[in-house]
Amino acid sequence: HEDNAIYKFGPDSLGLTAPVADVVSTVYRPGSSVRVLDLCTGSGIQGINAALHARAAGLTVDLNLVDINPRSKRFVTANLLMNGLDDVATWHEGDLFTALPDDVTSPHFDVILANPPYWPAHNKLLFHAGGLDGEAVTKKVVSDGTPLLKENGLMFIVTPIFNTDKA
């Protein structure tokens, strides 16, 4: 069904992977752990990329992947298995932070990643509709995610800037 399609990763998804890989593999010390939250995960590309680079840097990884679309779980599960990360990842289905278990309290994550829907639209394409101004999901990621970051935690978000006159 088109209304619950999974977004094919493109330049925006790939654009987020490079800086995340650099940061995760250089900021954290070998032997330490890194807790990653990938919101609007779709195929899981950002979280999986971060986890692979963290493992390569000698880190222990705790990866949490969240998407509102139930179809995403199949894509993420396959990609985790193909990348040997199924043992470090937990899937959460739901709307952003409400999908996380109740025991997730702030500060909790070292890295939060998000490639939210950001097009000014209100339709059934979950990966596309960012609300009437395109910023509804992004605003929620920033406002609700910031308190969940550990001290010196990092948030990476892909989004264009549409409403520059409102700044």
Side-chain angles (χ1 to χ4, degrees), residues 96-109:
L96 300 174
F97 303 99
T98 61
L100 298 173
D102 291 336
D103 64 347
V104 174
T105 58
S106 62
H108 195 77
F109 296 101

Side-chain angles (χ1 to χ4, degrees), residues 5-158:
I6 300 295
Y7 180 72
K8 297 182 285 188
F9 63 84
D12 54 350
S13 300
L14 297 174
L16 186 61
T17 61
V20 170
D22 289 343
V23 167
V24 169
S25 61
T26 58
V27 169
Y28 300 97
R29 297 179 191 169
S32 64
S33 64
V34 61
R35 181 168 280 160
V36 178
L37 174 61
D38 183 5
L39 296 166
C40 308
T41 192
S43 67
I45 184 173
Q46 284 90 10
I48 290 170
N49 176 65
L52 288 171
H53 281 87
R55 269 198 173 168
L59 304 171
T60 302
V61 181
D62 176 15
L63 174 60
N64 290 265
L65 304 117
V66 176
D67 205 288
I68 196 168
N69 189 338
R71 289 190 68 214
S72 174
K73 183 176 184 179
R74 290 185 286 190
F75 289 90
V76 168
T77 300
N79 287 331
L80 288 168
L81 287 168
M82 287 189 292
N83 286 282
L85 293 170
D86 54 305
D87 60 328
V88 300
T90 305
W91 163 261
H92 307 280
E93 182 182 327
D95 188 9
L96 300 174
F97 303 99
T98 61
L100 298 173
D102 291 336
D103 64 347
V104 174
T105 58
S106 62
H108 195 77
F109 296 101
D110 298 291
V111 178
I112 296 178
L113 311 168
N115 186 1
Y118 51 70
W119 290 105
H122 190 72
N123 58 29
K124 290 186 174 186
L125 294 176
L126 294 174
F127 66 80
H128 189 259
L132 295 178
D133 66 357
E135 298 172 1
V137 180
T138 302
K139 286 177 185 174
K140 191 155 182 65
V141 168
V142 173
S143 66
D144 294 358
T146 302
L148 290 179
L149 285 169
K150 291 180 181 176
E151 185 176 344
N152 299 320
L154 302 167
M155 182 181 290
F156 296 87
I157 302 173
V158 174

